[in-house]
Amino acid sequence: MNLLHIDSSIRGDWSVSRRLTARAAAAWRSAHPDGTVTYRDLGAEPLPHLDSEGGLARMTPPEQHTPAQRESWELSVRLVDEVKQADVVLLGLPLYNYGAPSSVKSWVDHLIVAGLTYDPTTQEGLLSGREFVVLATRGGGYGEGTPRHGWDHAEQWLPHGLSMTGLEPRFISTELTLAPSVPAMAELIPLHEASLAATEKEIDNLWLPASAQR
């Protein structure tokens, strides 16, 4: 068993998503003591975005690749292999400016490769069959009835962005993470604490047998 653990927050020790993915990774290791973990930090070491120099590698026969295209192609192959070797993919997804971090968008772009992650003839996704857990964190509240309901474009986008690959994210979300540090949100701290507690409970039960779940 192999876990691919991916963080994307740029907030370091202040990051709620990093704390939650660390908790989930610990729960996975407890349930799979002989398993291995592959770790990628998109926040500390972001992937290069597809550009005019190397980005066309996915549309160009390998034997015609320029040096920049070859480098971009080889990176995509490594990233796809990381997913293919994983039984579980765990992604921390904070909300930045109402969308996913650009580093996550770049990771997704590198995964959309004909012949590697989807069949170009049948359009069948080739990365299905593995668990994909996304721990989404939001500084504010975006639920139904709130002023910014529908403004969370990260959780809306990710399933569509990866749909060609067959990866299907399961979201576990925490809201109002800025309440403890923003004075104007102080009255929302109890709601944040309840959201966080529910998330932690769901994480702790992820890989427990049904009889042991709390």
Side-chain angles (χ1 to χ4, degrees), residues 9-200:
S9 172
I10 61 173
R11 289 173 55 83
D13 292 340
W14 295 317
S15 167
V16 175
S17 69
R18 285 178 180 270
R19 293 203 301 272
L20 292 176
T21 63
R23 186 185 188 108
W28 186 89
R29 287 194 297 268
S30 178
H32 305 89
D34 296 325
T36 58
V37 177
T38 300
Y39 181 68
R40 181 169 288 277
D41 192 336
L42 300 176
E45 298 180 11
L47 301 167
H49 293 284
L50 302 188
D51 59 19
S52 59
E53 293 294 319
L56 295 180
R58 291 137 205 87
M59 308 173 192
T60 305
E63 64 272 14
Q64 298 178 20
H65 281 174
T66 65
Q69 289 172 344
R70 185 179 307 112
E71 182 179 357
S72 182
W73 172 262
E74 290 174 351
L75 175 58
S76 284
V77 170
R78 290 199 300 274
L79 294 169
V80 170
D81 283 345
E82 285 181 353
V83 175
K84 286 185 173 180
Q85 292 168 17
D87 299 284
V88 178
V89 179
L90 172 67
L91 171 66
L93 183 69
L95 185 68
Y96 289 166
N97 300 317
Y98 312 115
S102 64
S103 60
V104 175
K105 176 62 165 61
S106 183
W107 178 70
V108 169
D109 287 344
H110 276 281
L111 292 183
I112 309 301
V113 186
L116 295 184
T117 59
Y118 69 94
D119 186 309
T121 302
T122 66
Q123 299 299 304
E124 178 187 2
L126 303 178
L127 298 182
S128 59
R130 51 188 43 79
E131 189 175 5
F132 183 23
V133 178
V134 180
L135 300 180
T137 57
R138 303 185 279 260
Y142 297 86
E144 189 171 353
T146 64
R148 290 180 177 169
H149 174 232
W151 285 40
D152 176 0
H153 299 290
E155 190 167 328
Q156 295 178 32
W157 159 75
L158 187 63
H160 299 157
L162 286 169
S163 59
M164 294 181 70
T165 70
L167 285 172
E168 297 181 355
R170 169 186 176 180
F171 288 95
I172 303 175
S173 303
T174 302
E175 291 202 321
L176 301 167
T177 61
L178 290 177
S181 59
V182 176
M185 297 177 66
E187 65 180 14
L188 300 174
I189 289 176
L191 292 177
H192 161 64
E193 291 176 341
S195 177
L196 181 61
T199 293
E200 291 174 340

